[in-house]
Amino acid sequence: MIELTDLTKRFPGAERLAVDHLTLTVPEGEVCVLIGPSGCGKTTTMRVINRLIEPDGGTVRVAGRDIMAVDPVELRRSIGYVIQQIGLFPHWSIAQNVATVPRLLEWDEARIARRVDELLALVGMDPAQYRDRFPRELSGGQRQRVGVARALAADPPVMLMDEPFGAIDPITRARLQDEFLNILRSLAKTVVFVTHDIDEALKMGDRIAILRDGALVQYDTPEAILARPANGFVESFVGTDRALKRLALVRADAALEPLVALAHDHAVDSGTSLRDALAFMFATGIDALSVTGAAGTAVGVLTVAGIRRHATTPK
């Protein structure tokens, strides 16, 4: 768990606080996304957590420990850190890059080798094919995978991710978001994730902290923020299409209607989002379709009217 209490930071010569008495808690095993306009304090807040930036006031606790009572080097070795620029060492092999922190922690070579292979496999890169390559031989998406593997190497309970997918093309970015979200949640990591993209925030976050001028404007689940924006700033920030954004967060089985016979055999899986189901209906020119469960059998029906009701009913 990460706890920020009355956190403040002002940079020399600045008229206002970069972080303005920020208080929030990130529960263990959850992904908290920090988002807001440029200069809102999101990256500064994240860098305070591993003391790349020293706070001026307030407290930060990671797993119950006040970060100011921990040696900065020890603290950083216990927190995974992934940045947009990746920062791989160009003259080191992929295996050497992934092994950076384990070597600093003086793991034995056999343990390091096992961990490198385990992590490369975890991020979808065959160890036999990639461990001896160099960063220049990889695509941007592959280098980002290596960056995440390196951050996970010492199995840190906390991960900081600073716009990790910002420099990657949209198709690769969407795939990496899906893959790494599954990895981080399966490993039960507590994650602070910085982005400027509201769609990425809604997809990646269990909770979203919207910041403005260093202050916290709203902190809640993605669906709650879309359903109940705290004020006009949040409403504008999340976009006029927030009803559609909400549908992307809801599974088809949340809006099921009783099973009836349809004049066609179109169907979607119960895990399909309502937004994708609605898009499928529009593309095929139908206003209802079957929803199938784990066994592949129909469990109910989804209708355009039912989706509309779900989108407009306050939660």
Side-chain angles (χ1 to χ4, degrees):
M1 181 165 61
I2 302 171
E3 300 171 278
L4 312 181
T5 305
D6 204 30
L7 182 65
T8 60
K9 177 65 184 180
R10 186 193 300 273
F11 292 107
E15 294 184 0
R16 63 172 177 81
L17 292 169
V19 181
D20 190 355
H21 300 280
L22 178 61
T23 296
L24 63 82
T25 297
V26 184
E28 186 174 349
E30 290 196 1
V31 178
C32 167
V33 176
L34 304 180
I35 190 170
S38 179
C40 70
K42 53 187 182 290
T43 296
T44 300
T45 298
M46 189 196 69
R47 290 180 179 175
V48 167
I49 294 172
N50 66 353
R51 292 184 63 184
L52 287 175
I53 294 175
E54 298 286 353
D56 292 330
T59 60
V60 177
R61 294 184 179 276
V62 176
R65 297 193 303 173
D66 186 335
I67 64 167
M68 300 307 292
V70 182
D71 175 76
V73 174
E74 178 192 343
L75 178 71
R76 290 172 200 143
R77 289 178 183 175
S78 69
I79 295 176
Y81 188 40
V82 185
I83 58 176
Q84 179 176 325
Q85 294 81 9
I86 308 168
L88 300 181
F89 298 110
H91 302 301
W92 286 9
S93 70
I94 300 310
Q96 289 172 317
N97 269 282
V98 174
T100 301
V101 174
R103 283 214 164 88
L104 290 172
L105 296 175
E106 300 182 343
W107 290 15
D108 66 71
E109 289 301 317
R111 182 184 179 191
I112 289 174
R114 288 194 303 271
R115 185 61 173 163
V116 167
D117 286 358
E118 175 187 352
L119 286 169
L120 288 177
L122 183 68
V123 299
M125 300 178 71
D126 179 6
Q129 183 178 356
Y130 289 103
R131 75 163 75 87
D132 296 324
R133 292 191 183 184
F134 290 85
R136 64 179 178 274
E137 300 176 281
L138 305 183
S139 68
Q142 289 171 332
R143 288 195 296 271
Q144 196 64 64
R145 291 169 189 268
V146 175
V148 172
R150 181 176 63 182
L152 289 167
D155 198 20
V158 171
M159 297 275 292
L160 306 180
M161 306 184 76
D162 190 1
E163 302 208 43
F165 311 126
I168 299 173
D169 68 88
I171 294 175
T172 304
R173 181 178 186 173
R175 186 172 68 249
L176 289 179
Q177 286 170 345
D178 290 337
E179 292 175 358
F180 289 126
L181 193 57
N182 289 335
I183 289 170
L184 294 171
R185 286 181 173 160
S186 68
L187 297 176
K189 301 298 181 185
T190 305
V191 182
V192 175
F193 189 108
V194 167
T195 184
H196 66 277
D197 184 330
I198 186 60
D199 290 319
E200 182 168 69
L202 295 169
K203 180 176 183 177
M204 300 296 291
D206 295 301
R207 299 169 190 262
I208 299 175
I210 299 180
L211 306 177
R212 185 183 190 187
D213 295 335
L216 183 64
V217 181
Q218 187 168 0
Y219 184 46
D220 214 325
T221 64
E223 187 166 0
I225 286 175
L226 291 172
R228 299 181 298 277
N231 54 30
F233 168 76
V234 175
E235 187 172 4
S236 174
F237 190 80
V238 299
T240 56
D241 61 340
R242 59 192 179 92
L244 281 176
K245 287 185 170 78
R246 282 182 63 201
L247 293 181
L249 304 176
V250 183
R251 290 164 48 108
D253 53 11
L256 284 180
E257 299 181 30
L259 190 61
V260 296
L262 299 176
H264 57 78
D265 58 0
H266 293 303
V268 294
D269 181 82
S270 60
T272 304
S273 75
L274 290 183
R275 185 171 69 177
D276 287 347
L278 184 62
F280 180 75
M281 289 190 220
F282 287 166
T284 53
I286 58 177
D287 59 10
L289 51 74
S290 297
V291 177
T292 58
T297 56
V299 294
V301 169
L302 203 57
T303 67
V304 171
I307 293 175
R308 183 186 298 116
R309 286 193 299 273
H310 199 93
T312 56
T313 302
K315 297 295 177 183

